[in-house]
Amino acid sequence: MQTEQGEILEGYLQSQIVRDERKEGGPLVFSLPADLPWGYHTLEVVRKRRKAPYVMKLIKTPKSCYKQPELDEGKKMWGPSVQLYTLRTQHNWGIGDFGDLKQLVSDIASRGGDFVGLNPIHSLFPANPEGASPYSPSSRRWLNILYIDVSSVPEFALSAEAQKIVGSAEFQQRLQNARDSHWVNYTEVSKLKMNVLPLLFEEFKKRHLDEGTSRAEAFLSFVELGGESLLHQAAFDALHGELHARDPEVWGWPAFPEEYRRFDNQAVSEFIRRNKDQVHLYMYLQWVADIQIKEAQVLAQDKGMSLGLYRDLAVGVADSGAETWADDGNLVLDASIGAPPDILGPLGQNWGLPPLNPQVLQATGYEAYIDLLRANMKHCGALRIDHVLGLLRLWWIPKGEDATNGAYIYYPVEDMLAILALESHRHQCSVIGEDLGTVPDEIVEILRDAGVHSYKVFFFETSEEDGGYLSPAHYTPQSMAALCTHDMPTLRGFWHCDDLKMGKELGLYPDEKQLEALFDNRLKSKQGILDSVAWHGYLPEGVGRDAQYVPMDSYLADSLQLHVAAGSSALLSVQLEDWLEMDNPVNIPGTVDEYPNWRRKLSMNLEQIFAHQGVNRIAQKLTEVRAKASKK
């Protein structure tokens, strides 16, 4: 055996045999050294009469995922989960960016919060910026370059040309319009940034690459580490950009001319050779984005946050992006994943994301999965795994069929959780598993034993007996609690049934009776919530007890947050939208064109938010209530 650390261990199996069941058609079982270090080792078994040895990867892992010492000691933490693009400041370019993230980290840290949660920040489609869903990325290995804070890139201060463009009255007016817009205008944001970022790369080439400086060396080592995967991403973005400029209908690689539809085609190699600078530009932008997200995490640690950033790993990749374009068999391109039919969705769901092939994963020693975890555990203190049940099974739908014709395909869940634990320790990154929806009993214990934090959304945590709301004091400590998520209405939207009213307008509820029943159920839910919060002593004086007449205001919103904060979950996620009493959701599941998903910004600038008395009041109370819960 060769260990990952380079040590060679040798021995004879005869002396290590535990049991031999070969006569009965069973295995020959032998023991390995008990004190193997964690890691990825290579095991060779040599037989006298066999020319080549049997070779396998052997992975030794911890039993469960990493937890920060503070989590282990029972500290109860809180922080906001934000969609990064929704942040507004007076200096961003019309979309929340990594600079805004640093500002938010400082604001939350100084008020006692221990983390800032992010939507997936995976790479999307620079050539097609309106493809904005963070859950349909081009690749999960690389970053969304639209989040680059342009004016913080060191080359910006050095480029006279970039300064001149940005300083012009026309550009400043466009920037202001993009900032003032209620919705993120992705096309305009992309134009503004891509007007300037190539100039910064030119400056970088001239001052660093040509001169062989230490900054150039840092970039080149990033490129070397990124390997084939970075080349796939950069070549895809450069090629897509050129083809899309010629024909705006080219939305992804299935619409590329035939000779460009696979990364390993000869025409693609020639394109890369001819357009070396353009490919290198996208590598540079990935490097800049990586540096900026790292700076945000370093700042969080410097400010004393126990976790810092927590990132979000989407369940799959779009079937038209860089990862599928360059796939070498890890993905099943003629299937897509989704959800089976249920009472709420009789047609099921098709997410248009090709699944990883479990047999190829095993045959390749889980290489693609390991790379994926490493890319997403960088520069953060926790990783949320979207649809963590996918480690056990995924609903596969054959290409061209609807979700009713799908089937569950199982994955080697124990192997995948063991590797998750190993990478989590190596990156000192704890793990949160989004385990909402239909949760098979067989996975609940497996996830718990693997040290994965469960996800408890207050509105879904009800008693099976009477349908009443569970006390957050009864949530499992190894969990993250939340009132709302990005797929739900805001607190105010839920309470005032804005989601149902909007759904009716958008034609999501063609059945009047079904809609009536949903309104009735909502009133029952609200009454149950009021009763539960009052019973636990968190309902403020002056707030009525009849849900029909009680509006959602800052007092009721605060009391709901504090009710969940007093519970036993290790982590509590809150939403800035609820602090600002916003009602429009960020995403309406089941819609594509009916509502501008992934575009709605916050109603205030960060500067205004943290100058707001109500915001500072709830932040202080959350810190106090969580500290009290830690002592229980």
Side-chain angles (χ1 to χ4, degrees):
M1 172 151 37
Q2 179 162 4
T3 70
E4 187 183 352
Q5 293 74 14
E7 195 183 348
I8 306 278
L9 308 171
E10 293 178 295
Y12 286 93
L13 289 194
Q14 278 82 343
S15 59
Q16 306 290 324
I17 290 174
V18 176
R19 62 180 191 276
D20 187 348
E21 297 171 358
R22 284 177 292 178
K23 277 183 183 158
E24 298 83 53
L28 168 67
V29 180
F30 57 91
S31 64
L32 292 169
D35 54 354
L36 273 183
W38 292 345
Y40 302 94
H41 314 310
T42 305
L43 177 67
E44 289 192 1
V45 178
V46 183
R47 283 183 79 175
K48 274 181 189 158
R49 287 182 300 281
R50 188 182 156 90
K51 281 181 185 166
Y54 298 101
V55 181
M56 68 175 278
K57 185 181 268 188
L58 181 79
I59 310 175
K60 176 82 186 279
T61 74
K63 283 197 161 56
S64 63
C65 292
Y66 175 82
K67 287 189 175 73
Q68 277 75 5
E70 297 93 327
L71 272 178
D72 252 349
E73 288 153 17
K75 179 180 180 183
K76 307 290 186 197
M77 305 179 190
W78 74 269
S81 294
V82 301
Q83 303 281 314
L84 183 53
Y85 54 84
T86 66
L87 299 184
R88 297 176 105 131
T89 55
Q90 259 320 101
H91 43 76
N92 75 29
W93 287 25
I95 187 172
D97 61 30
F98 292 134
D100 298 339
L101 177 59
K102 285 159 87 169
Q103 191 174 328
L104 179 62
V105 159
S106 290
D107 287 328
I108 293 297
S110 65
R111 286 161 180 80
D114 272 302
F115 62 83
V116 169
L118 293 171
N119 57 294
I121 52 174
H122 309 312
S123 62
L124 296 181
F125 295 82
N128 181 25
E130 293 301 328
S133 168
Y135 292 94
S136 293
S138 172
S139 165
R140 294 185 289 174
R141 294 270 310 271
W142 301 100
L143 296 168
N144 182 349
I145 57 176
L146 272 196
Y147 288 136
I148 291 173
D149 173 6
V150 182
S151 32
S152 289
V153 181
E155 282 74 38
F156 182 73
L158 304 171
S159 169
E161 202 180 339
Q163 304 257 340
K164 188 178 163 195
I165 289 174
V166 174
S168 73
E170 188 229 350
F171 200 90
Q172 284 297 315
Q173 187 56 58
R174 285 173 67 191
L175 279 180
Q176 200 52 53
N177 293 345
R179 281 183 201 121
D180 292 344
S181 163
H182 179 63
W183 308 93
V184 178
N185 180 345
Y186 284 103
T187 300
E188 177 67 350
V189 168
S190 178
K191 279 180 185 161
L192 289 166
K193 294 200 176 190
M194 291 312 286
N195 252 339
V196 176
L197 287 167
L199 299 175
L200 308 192
F201 178 56
E202 287 303 315
E203 203 64 36
F204 174 72
K205 275 196 318 193
K206 196 169 67 200
R207 290 175 184 264
H208 296 286
L209 278 181
D210 294 350
E211 300 297 321
T213 66
S214 59
R215 184 161 163 79
E217 276 170 30
F219 168 65
L220 293 172
S221 83
F222 174 83
V223 170
E224 196 177 331
L225 270 173
E228 283 276 285
S229 175
L230 179 58
L231 178 61
H232 298 159
Q233 182 67 57
F236 177 83
D237 287 343
L239 178 58
H240 191 195
E242 180 165 307
L243 297 173
H244 191 272
R246 284 190 230 150
D247 177 3
E249 296 301 303
V250 178
W251 44 270
W253 66 258
F256 285 7
E258 186 66 48
E259 70 269 26
Y260 292 130
R261 276 187 207 160
R262 298 280 314 140
F263 168 76
D264 43 23
N265 287 358
Q266 183 61 36
V268 173
S269 304
E270 283 164 18
F271 172 85
I272 293 170
R273 197 171 38 76
R274 280 197 320 272
N275 298 274
K276 205 168 64 191
D277 264 9
Q278 201 57 11
V279 174
H280 289 166
L281 162 68
Y282 284 103
M283 290 178 168
Y284 167 78
L285 296 180
Q286 284 297 336
W287 177 57
V288 167
D290 186 76
I291 288 170
Q292 291 194 349
I293 183 87
K294 181 183 182 177
E295 286 171 355
Q297 176 62 4
V298 168
L299 177 69
Q301 290 166 330
D302 290 348
K303 297 272 181 192
M305 283 184 154
S306 302
L307 288 185
L309 302 180
Y310 99 69
R311 288 177 61 175
D312 193 347
L313 176 62
V315 68
V317 288
D319 55 10
S320 54
E323 212 165 302
T324 49
W325 179 63
D327 177 61
D328 55 2
N330 287 303
L331 293 161
V332 180
L333 298 181
D334 51 4
S336 111
I337 56 176
D342 60 20
I343 294 164
L344 288 176
L347 297 176
Q349 296 172 29
N350 186 337
W351 302 332
L353 311 168
L356 281 166
N357 184 330
Q359 288 164 322
V360 172
L361 276 177
Q362 279 181 304
T364 55
Y366 298 94
E367 217 169 289
Y369 174 64
I370 293 163
D371 288 344
L372 183 63
L373 293 178
R374 287 177 177 169
N376 285 276
M377 285 181 168
K378 272 170 94 177
H379 318 319
C380 63
L383 180 66
R384 172 189 180 272
I385 298 183
D386 188 40
H387 193 63
V388 72
L389 311 176
L391 295 180
L392 172 75
R393 64 182 194 186
L394 283 170
W395 186 255
W396 283 26
I397 305 150
K399 254 280 160 60
E401 300 280 345
D402 61 37
T404 53
N405 293 324
Y408 276 120
I409 302 290
Y410 276 73
Y411 284 75
V413 64
E414 262 123 8
D415 287 3
M416 293 178 85
L417 282 172
I419 291 167
L420 180 66
L422 175 58
E423 291 302 328
S424 138
H425 277 268
R426 290 195 160 176
H427 291 84
Q428 302 205 329
C429 174
S430 45
V431 179
I432 300 150
E434 187 268 296
D435 52 358
L436 305 175
T438 311
V439 183
D441 294 338
E442 61 204 288
I443 190 130
V444 176
E445 269 177 52
I446 302 177
L447 287 172
R448 186 192 63 212
D449 295 346
V452 174
H453 289 80
S454 181
Y455 204 62
K456 302 291 178 196
V457 177
F458 175 73
F459 294 125
F460 304 155
E461 294 297 314
T462 52
S463 152
E464 282 177 21
E465 283 91 63
D466 61 3
Y469 283 87
L470 295 179
S471 163
H474 296 147
Y475 294 173
T476 170
Q478 189 175 276
S479 69
M480 168 178 270
L483 279 163
C484 302
T485 74
H486 62 267
D487 277 337
M488 293 170 63
T490 62
L491 208 42
R492 190 179 169 89
F494 171 89
W495 201 262
H496 295 156
C497 302
D498 290 338
D499 56 321
L500 301 180
K501 294 170 196 165
M502 201 180 287
K504 182 185 178 182
E505 280 171 34
L506 298 176
L508 299 182
Y509 306 112
D511 183 340
E512 276 293 327
K513 276 211 171 87
Q514 184 200 16
L515 187 60
E516 255 174 62
L518 290 171
F519 274 107
D520 289 345
N521 285 342
R522 183 63 56 87
L523 184 57
K524 282 185 196 134
S525 295
K526 286 159 58 175
Q527 192 57 59
I529 290 165
L530 275 184
D531 294 344
S532 181
V533 175
W535 194 83
H536 285 92
Y538 278 97
L539 204 62
E541 275 182 44
V543 173
R545 292 290 300 272
D546 187 338
Q548 281 186 88
Y549 307 111
V550 174
M552 178 57 67
D553 58 14
S554 61
Y555 297 103
L556 181 54
D558 288 5
S559 65
L560 279 176
Q561 290 173 72
L562 297 173
H563 173 52
V564 181
S568 53
S569 292
L571 305 165
L572 168 74
S573 158
V574 295
Q575 299 213 105
L576 298 180
E577 284 87 341
D578 297 331
W579 288 3
L580 302 176
E581 300 182 62
M582 291 175 65
D583 40 25
N584 272 350
V586 80
N587 172 47
I588 300 181
T591 63
V592 179
D593 303 317
E594 299 90 334
Y595 181 81
N597 292 323
W598 317 116
R599 286 160 173 78
R600 195 266 292 124
K601 297 185 193 176
L602 294 176
S603 56
M604 281 186 197
N605 278 354
L606 285 183
E607 295 89 344
Q608 296 166 310
I609 292 174
F610 292 100
H612 192 286
Q613 197 183 344
V615 164
N616 288 316
R617 183 183 66 228
I618 183 63
Q620 187 186 339
K621 282 186 180 167
L622 284 170
T623 300
E624 289 164 6
V625 170
R626 293 257 78 195
K628 209 181 283 181
S630 304
K631 294 191 180 110
K632 283 183 184 169

